[in-house]
Amino acid sequence: QVGNYKRTVKRIDDGHRLCNDLMNCIHERARIEKVYAQQLTEWAKRWKQLVEKGPQYGTVERAWCAFMSEAEKVSELHLEVKGSLMNEDFEKIKNWQKEAFHKQMMGGFKETKEAEDGFRKAQKPWAKKLKEVEAAKKAYHAACKEEKLAISRETNSKADPALNPEQLKKLQDKVERSKQDVLKTKEKYEKSLKELDNATPQYMENMEQVFEQCQQFEEKRLRFFREVLLEVQKHLDLSNVASYKNIYRELEQNIKTADAVEDLRWFRANQGPGMTMNWPQFEEWSADLNRTLSRREKKKASDGVTLTGINQTGDQVSQPNKHSSSLSVQSNTVQSVQSSYNPFEDEDDTGSTVSEKEDNKIKNVSSYEKNQSYPTDWSDEESNNPFSSTDANGDTNPFDEDTSPAMEVRVRALYDYEGQEQDELSFKAGDELTKMENEDEQGWCKGRLDNGQVGLYPANYVEPIQ
């Protein structure tokens, strides 16, 4: 049909746009590969430091660190994937698009204009004859309509006695002329239609010739897209990369080399009874080394100690860069650390990024580090012995921040109070609650409702229950 070739012409413009879409698709995937590689590197760097500084030791530590090595190697492979996508696939599509589509000065593409001109040239003669057929058809139908109208008038005039013979003769002549017009327009209509039918085979041949040219152009684009997509698949498929398989083969071997017996032997030799001990020996008096310390100096010295003279024997398993012979820490280093960080928490739920939580992660991963030392001060006094009989009976907890439990008192609310902050309680007059801490300087008390909620409330809003 006339004008319907425009769908085929539009496909050429669509081909250029699809090249842009495919390039954008590959570019976005390359960006994802880059971000993933960066995240793997950052993760490996952070956790490698944490494991090396943490309490884990020996072959299990090396097996753990193997995961970080795996991440670094996989990161490099994904960076290579990103490079292949951009430097090979993206550029290949870009160059093919530039060679296949040629822009014109007035806009549009040369290929589109050639197809448009080819279809229009092939269709022009047939479209002209089609227009003649439409005109002949219109004239024929108009003559038929006029003939019917004339016959109807003649029939009505015969029944009208008021018409004279001359008027009746005119109506009869009108009917005769209209019949002749119908015959003439019909003959012309049939002739033009026959000419159109005779021109149709040549018209179809010419149109199909131009259409096949467009088909060949589109076939090149489709085959090229298939070729590029296969190359992209090869670049993305790391399962066929030998180095990728070697990474996980090596990771598995490193994990299997973890030996609990070997690690326990090393710990015994370096941190347990197998250590070389510096037993007390007789020492001559020296004014510089044995001067009397004041009470204040003794107290200050007890805050931090230095371990010296720890020598490793030759048969002990060495751990390079893991343990030093002179270590200094605070005496209150060993304590129970309750971390508020959840390592399985989704960053999207909290609205925080990985970088914002990195410091907290480093601080809260482990309660102590492998390189820390412990205080050597000891005393047989009950007050300084965390493992005294009193503690053994469960009366006190050496790890509690406040060893003296607060007295809990039941109180009754005198007035209604609506908490203004998240850490404040809300209650009605007459409600009963438990006071957990006495009034502070600002006039606030800490209490607990019967439903278990703990918070602050004004001290003058309640009274003790007698």
Side-chain angles (χ1 to χ4, degrees):
Q1 296 181 0
V2 176
N4 279 349
Y5 63 83
K6 294 184 180 297
R7 292 178 297 185
T8 304
V9 175
K10 183 178 180 298
R11 189 175 60 174
I12 299 177
D13 294 334
D14 292 341
H16 184 273
R17 180 178 59 81
L18 289 171
C19 288
N20 291 333
D21 292 344
L22 184 56
M23 285 191 291
N24 290 334
C25 178
I26 293 177
H27 182 265
E28 289 184 7
R29 178 59 186 266
R31 185 167 62 242
I32 292 174
E33 296 288 335
K34 179 181 178 181
V35 172
Y36 178 56
Q38 292 175 344
Q39 290 178 344
L40 281 178
T41 302
E42 293 173 359
W43 174 85
K45 180 179 179 181
R46 182 173 69 252
W47 276 98
K48 188 175 183 181
Q49 294 176 353
L50 294 175
V51 174
E52 289 177 350
K53 294 180 179 179
Q56 185 58 58
Y57 56 89
T59 58
V60 174
E61 178 190 359
R62 290 195 293 271
W64 193 344
C65 289
F67 280 102
M68 278 63 87
S69 300
E70 172 266 343
E72 293 174 347
K73 295 176 182 178
V74 173
S75 173
E76 294 177 359
L77 290 179
H78 281 280
L79 285 178
E80 293 179 2
V81 171
K82 175 257 179 185
S84 299
L85 292 176
M86 292 303 299
N87 299 331
E88 298 181 24
D89 303 328
F90 185 91
E91 291 297 325
K92 186 174 183 179
I93 300 172
K94 183 179 179 181
N95 294 333
W96 186 89
Q97 182 190 45
K98 187 176 181 180
E99 294 175 358
F101 300 90
H102 303 83
K103 292 186 177 180
Q104 298 184 116
M105 294 292 294
M106 301 301 293
F109 299 104
K110 177 182 177 182
E111 290 72 23
T112 304
K113 187 177 184 304
E114 290 177 352
E116 179 80 25
D117 293 344
F119 279 118
R120 186 182 293 111
K121 182 178 180 181
Q123 196 174 74
K124 187 176 181 180
W126 190 84
K128 183 178 180 181
K129 294 183 179 297
L130 178 63
K131 190 175 181 180
E132 294 176 354
V133 170
E134 292 294 334
K137 174 184 175 182
K138 185 177 180 180
Y140 169 67
H141 289 174
C144 291
K145 182 179 179 181
E146 188 67 25
E147 179 190 19
K148 183 177 180 181
L149 183 60
I151 294 174
S152 177
R153 289 176 179 175
E154 180 190 12
T155 303
N156 294 333
S157 64
K158 291 180 179 180
D160 188 1
L163 291 178
N164 52 39
E166 184 178 355
Q167 292 175 335
L168 185 59
K169 183 69 169 59
K170 289 182 179 180
L171 291 175
Q172 292 175 351
D173 293 342
K174 182 69 174 176
V175 170
E176 192 65 27
R177 287 195 303 271
S178 62
K179 288 182 178 181
Q180 293 178 2
D181 290 340
V182 167
L183 293 176
K184 290 181 181 179
T185 54
K186 182 179 181 181
E187 181 181 356
K188 187 175 181 180
Y189 178 33
E190 291 176 346
K191 181 179 179 182
S192 61
L193 191 59
K194 186 177 181 179
E195 292 178 354
L196 180 66
D197 292 339
N198 293 335
T200 297
Q202 184 64 38
Y203 162 67
M204 291 294 295
E205 182 180 351
N206 295 339
M207 290 292 285
E208 286 187 6
Q209 184 177 0
V210 182
F211 180 77
E212 285 300 322
Q213 294 176 357
C214 295
Q215 287 286 84
Q216 293 175 6
F217 183 82
E218 178 67 6
E219 182 182 8
K220 292 180 181 178
R221 185 191 69 83
L222 295 175
R223 291 185 180 276
F224 172 74
F225 269 39
R226 181 179 183 275
E227 177 185 350
V228 170
L229 292 175
L230 284 175
E231 293 182 3
V232 171
Q233 179 267 333
K234 292 180 181 179
H235 292 150
L236 294 177
D237 187 7
L238 295 178
S239 62
N240 292 325
V241 179
S243 58
Y244 187 75
K245 297 179 180 179
N246 293 334
I247 290 174
Y248 292 97
R249 189 179 299 112
E250 181 180 353
L251 175 62
E252 181 181 6
Q253 293 174 355
N254 289 331
I255 295 174
K256 288 182 177 180
T257 56
D259 188 348
V261 176
E262 175 66 20
D263 290 350
L264 293 175
R265 187 185 71 82
W266 176 90
F267 191 86
R268 178 183 180 86
N270 291 271
Q271 305 290 343
M275 294 175 61
T276 301
M277 299 301 295
N278 187 15
W279 298 108
Q281 297 178 0
F282 179 80
E283 298 180 4
E284 290 292 342
W285 177 85
S286 173
D288 295 332
L289 296 177
N290 295 310
R291 64 187 181 87
T292 304
L293 298 178
S294 64
R295 182 180 300 272
R296 179 176 297 180
E297 289 174 332
K298 287 183 179 180
K299 183 178 181 182
K300 181 177 181 181
S302 65
D303 292 340
V305 297
T306 301
L307 302 181
T308 60
I310 301 177
N311 300 321
Q312 296 181 350
T313 60
D315 60 345
Q316 294 170 344
V317 180
S318 62
Q319 292 288 326
N321 299 327
K322 296 295 181 181
H323 303 273
S324 60
S325 60
S326 178
L327 308 174
S328 177
V329 297
Q330 298 298 319
S331 61
N332 59 352
T333 304
V334 182
Q335 59 181 345
S336 177
V337 178
Q338 296 180 352
S339 172
S340 61
Y341 166 69
N342 181 1
F344 302 102
E345 186 178 22
D346 190 357
E347 287 81 4
D348 295 338
D349 296 337
T350 60
S352 301
T353 60
V354 174
S355 60
E356 292 172 349
K357 294 184 176 180
E358 183 173 349
D359 293 339
N360 290 332
K361 289 181 180 180
I362 294 176
K363 294 178 181 177
N364 297 327
V365 166
S366 182
S367 60
Y368 67 97
E369 295 182 358
K370 66 178 68 174
N371 290 340
Q372 74 179 21
S373 61
Y374 298 87
T376 58
D377 288 350
W378 63 279
S379 173
D380 56 359
E381 297 179 0
E382 294 295 332
S383 60
N384 294 330
N385 185 3
F387 303 101
S388 62
S389 59
T390 305
D391 295 338
N393 294 330
D395 293 336
T396 61
N397 185 354
F399 297 100
D400 284 341
E401 296 180 357
D402 187 4
T403 57
S404 59
M407 296 296 295
E408 294 186 351
V409 180
R410 293 291 291 178
V411 295
R412 182 183 294 108
L414 296 174
Y415 317 100
D416 294 348
Y417 182 74
E418 186 71 20
Q420 303 299 318
E421 302 292 341
Q422 292 183 354
D423 60 345
E424 294 180 15
L425 299 176
S426 299
F427 47 77
K428 300 292 184 180
D431 291 348
E432 295 183 1
L433 59 151
T434 302
K435 182 175 73 172
M436 302 173 61
E437 293 182 3
N438 294 328
E439 179 180 356
D440 59 13
E441 296 178 357
Q442 287 77 25
W444 292 86
C445 288
K446 184 176 181 181
R448 180 178 65 250
L449 297 177
D450 292 339
N451 61 4
Q453 182 182 359
V454 178
L456 302 176
Y457 64 90
N460 57 356
Y461 272 56
V462 301
E463 64 177 0
I465 298 177
Q466 301 300 331

